[in-house]
Amino acid sequence: MITPVLLCGGSGTRLWPLSRKSYPKQFAALIGDSTLFQASAARLSGPDFAAPMVLTNSDFRFIVTEQLAEVGVDPAAILIEPAGRNTAPAVLAAALWLQKSDPEALMLVAPSDHVVPDAAAFRAAVLAGVPAARAGQLVTFGIKPTHAETGYGYLELAEDPGDFAARPLALNRFVEKPDAARAAEMLTAGNYLWNAGIFLFSVATIIAAFRAHAPDLVDPVQAAVDQGQPDLGFLRLAPEPWAQVDDISIDYAVMERADNLSVVPYAAGWSDLGGWDAVWRETGPDERGVATAGNATALDCDDTLLRSEDDALEVVGIGLRNIIAVAMPDAVLVADVSRAQDVKLAVAALKAKQAKQAESFPKDHRPWGWFESLVIGERFQVKRIVVHPGAALSLQSHHHRSEHWIVVEGTARVTVDGAVKLVSENQSVYIPLGAVHRMENPGKVPMVLIEVQTGSYLGEDDIIRYEDVYARS
């Protein structure tokens, strides 16, 4: 069986304002009802696949488990990286972890934010690469280009791909992201594929490749795995050896130096959603090139993407040409389609002016659920808080604020200075400044409350935790 290894630690900026550092695109339902991460996990499941491994960071660990549970996927392991070090150390850590149980296991490394409409065809392509992987090849997957894309690296095949049937072919070389003219030349040549960043190999083969081509990574990553600490079902890689690991991609560390490479062509549709122009294409524009999502209306528009990411916000475009407009509750992006790759420049500009919208998502996701700020004043704040069934916030107190909770859906079990009571819909409870308190959802449906905070300081860091089921300090 093949063990999927899902890489889920990225924080891409090219799909801002929907994708942000605190809640990146893999956790969003950009295409269809499932998130990109959920679709990736479901795509790599079935009789030929073992339970997946996931590599992510501490901030995303509970989002990962929550979203996997929603689609009925039970992971074999979730490894927590102490810091982002690109794909090479992550892949090596996964291989070294798998080596403990099965040194000859096959592992399929895949990003968790790709769109693959035909899951069955993709699984067939993966299985087509198994014999080569069993024979000691490092198998990568190349996508048949549909246009002269400058946002992807390319794979130059050593032979004509013919009908692009899924079978292992020899790779000549990796090609960096080209300019527009070179991309057009490669599209015409016919023996170039987009580099999807998806790999299949045995554990033994990839570890041997790291020892041969990137030996400096092996010892610190091995130490990070061996010294890793279990934590609520996760494995936290040890931070001290991990800090010694170079920040490098698997392409640079291994693939571009190895000579035991094969490529399986894939032509059944794929996108890494690397920009809003890609989302526009994958959303399925109408005959005038218009694609909409959410509460969006286009009047006399051409080649335009309109998206509303808020149920209470209507987006209307009139007479637009080649425009991307994406509206969030706290930020709106308007750009020419041809400038889709420059969205990262907007994020950099917002970070320079210290705008919280650059990295922070309107909804703050926590292990127990999420909250969003509805109104913020100088000495008060109003939040909506949603707590998952069976979940509980930490036992805590505050130095600078008091709180008033009004339950609007479900039932809360509230503890205030040792006294416990149930608070139902349309009931409220007051939390005085300094009181030790906790909120739990004892029911089987989400619990929703409105929290009114008042005080001299309302920051999220004004929390003293006494007990926490999620082991947060």
Side-chain angles (χ1 to χ4, degrees):
M1 298 182 72
I2 301 166
T3 298
V5 176
L6 296 174
L7 306 180
C8 193
S11 55
T13 59
R14 290 180 294 176
L15 290 183
W16 185 90
L18 181 62
S19 176
R20 306 189 198 180
K21 182 179 180 180
S22 67
Y23 200 78
K25 67 174 181 175
Q26 59 262 32
F27 301 123
L30 274 160
I31 307 293
D33 296 329
S34 298
T35 70
L36 299 179
F37 173 62
Q38 289 173 324
S40 297
R43 182 165 61 248
L44 302 179
S45 61
D48 299 300
F49 295 90
M53 289 182 63
V54 180
L55 282 100
T56 188
N57 61 47
S58 185
D59 291 341
F60 301 155
R61 65 194 190 282
F62 293 108
I63 301 174
V64 164
T65 55
E66 178 184 331
Q67 293 204 353
L68 288 178
E70 288 175 356
V71 293
V73 174
D74 186 14
I78 300 176
L79 273 57
I80 307 299
E81 298 176 83
R85 287 294 185 267
N86 216 314
T87 54
V91 172
L92 179 56
L96 293 171
W97 187 90
L98 282 168
Q99 184 186 40
K100 296 180 180 181
S101 58
D102 186 359
E104 296 302 323
L106 290 184
M107 50 189 291
L108 179 73
V109 177
S112 59
D113 57 359
H114 290 181
V115 171
V116 182
D118 192 337
F122 181 77
R123 287 191 289 266
V126 171
L127 294 179
V130 166
R134 287 283 183 212
Q137 291 287 293
L138 301 171
V139 180
T140 185
F141 294 82
I143 310 302
K144 179 183 179 181
T146 57
H147 58 279
E149 175 62 57
T150 60
Y152 302 149
Y154 284 71
L155 305 171
E156 182 184 0
L157 299 176
E159 54 189 296
D160 192 319
D163 58 359
F164 289 90
R167 64 193 187 282
L169 302 175
L171 174 65
N172 189 20
R173 65 187 178 103
F174 287 77
V175 180
E176 294 291 331
K177 295 177 182 179
D179 59 23
R182 181 59 180 145
E185 292 174 1
M186 291 190 287
L187 180 66
T188 301
N191 66 323
Y192 291 87
L193 306 177
W194 289 336
N195 182 4
I198 303 171
F199 306 97
L200 176 68
F201 31 63
S202 74
V203 169
T205 298
I206 189 60
I207 292 176
F210 272 101
R211 293 191 184 281
H213 305 296
D216 291 346
L217 292 177
V218 177
D219 286 346
V221 174
Q222 181 76 70
V225 173
D226 291 343
Q227 298 170 26
Q229 295 295 316
D231 177 12
L232 298 176
F234 309 103
L235 177 68
R236 288 183 177 273
L237 300 175
E240 292 80 7
W242 192 259
Q244 304 170 25
V245 173
D246 290 337
D247 185 328
I248 187 171
S249 73
I250 191 171
D251 283 358
Y252 287 141
V254 173
M255 296 299 166
E256 294 186 8
R257 305 176 185 184
D259 56 9
N260 56 330
L261 294 168
S262 295
V263 185
V264 174
Y266 182 73
W270 168 91
S271 174
D272 76 341
L273 294 186
W276 283 113
D277 52 340
V279 176
W280 168 62
R281 287 190 292 268
E282 293 298 324
T283 303
D286 63 17
E287 65 277 0
R288 293 188 64 173
V290 174
T292 62
N295 298 325
T297 302
L299 303 176
D300 189 30
C301 296
D302 293 289
D303 300 326
T304 289
L305 172 67
L306 299 178
R307 290 181 69 106
S308 171
E309 302 296 340
D310 187 335
D311 291 339
L313 193 156
E314 292 283 346
V315 175
V316 179
I318 302 175
L320 302 179
R321 305 290 182 269
N322 304 311
I323 291 295
I324 294 165
V326 181
M328 295 283 291
D330 63 337
V332 177
L333 169 71
V334 181
D336 190 279
V337 172
S338 67
R339 301 292 299 276
Q341 294 300 312
D342 289 339
V343 172
K344 59 180 181 285
L345 302 179
V347 176
L350 290 175
K351 289 174 66 176
K353 63 188 289 187
Q354 298 183 331
K356 66 179 182 179
Q357 289 91 338
E359 297 184 336
S360 297
F361 203 69
K363 290 183 179 179
D364 196 324
H365 291 261
R366 297 298 172 91
W368 43 260
W370 56 267
F371 69 84
E372 62 180 339
S373 295
L374 303 178
V375 181
I376 301 176
E378 185 175 346
R379 290 181 58 89
F380 75 92
Q381 181 171 199
V382 181
K383 292 181 177 179
R384 173 166 54 178
I385 299 176
V386 178
V387 183
H388 298 315
L393 282 67
S394 60
L395 185 67
Q396 59 185 258
S397 66
H398 309 294
H399 283 304
H400 302 287
R401 69 174 185 255
S402 59
E403 297 172 342
H404 192 174
W405 296 342
I406 305 98
V407 176
V408 295
E409 292 182 30
T411 299
R413 180 189 291 123
V414 177
T415 302
V416 182
D417 285 336
V420 181
K421 67 176 181 177
L422 295 177
V423 183
S424 300
E425 291 182 11
N426 296 321
Q427 295 182 330
S428 64
V429 62
Y430 175 65
I431 314 297
L433 185 151
V436 177
H437 60 280
R438 166 176 276 161
M439 177 201 315
E440 305 170 69
N441 180 0
K444 297 186 180 299
V445 297
M447 184 267 290
V448 184
L449 62 82
I450 301 300
E451 177 184 81
V452 180
Q453 302 177 352
T454 57
S456 59
Y457 178 71
L458 306 174
E460 285 303 309
D461 55 347
D462 180 24
I463 295 178
I464 303 170
R465 288 193 174 97
Y466 304 97
E467 295 177 10
D468 185 57
V469 296
Y470 307 107
R472 294 171 296 174
S473 59

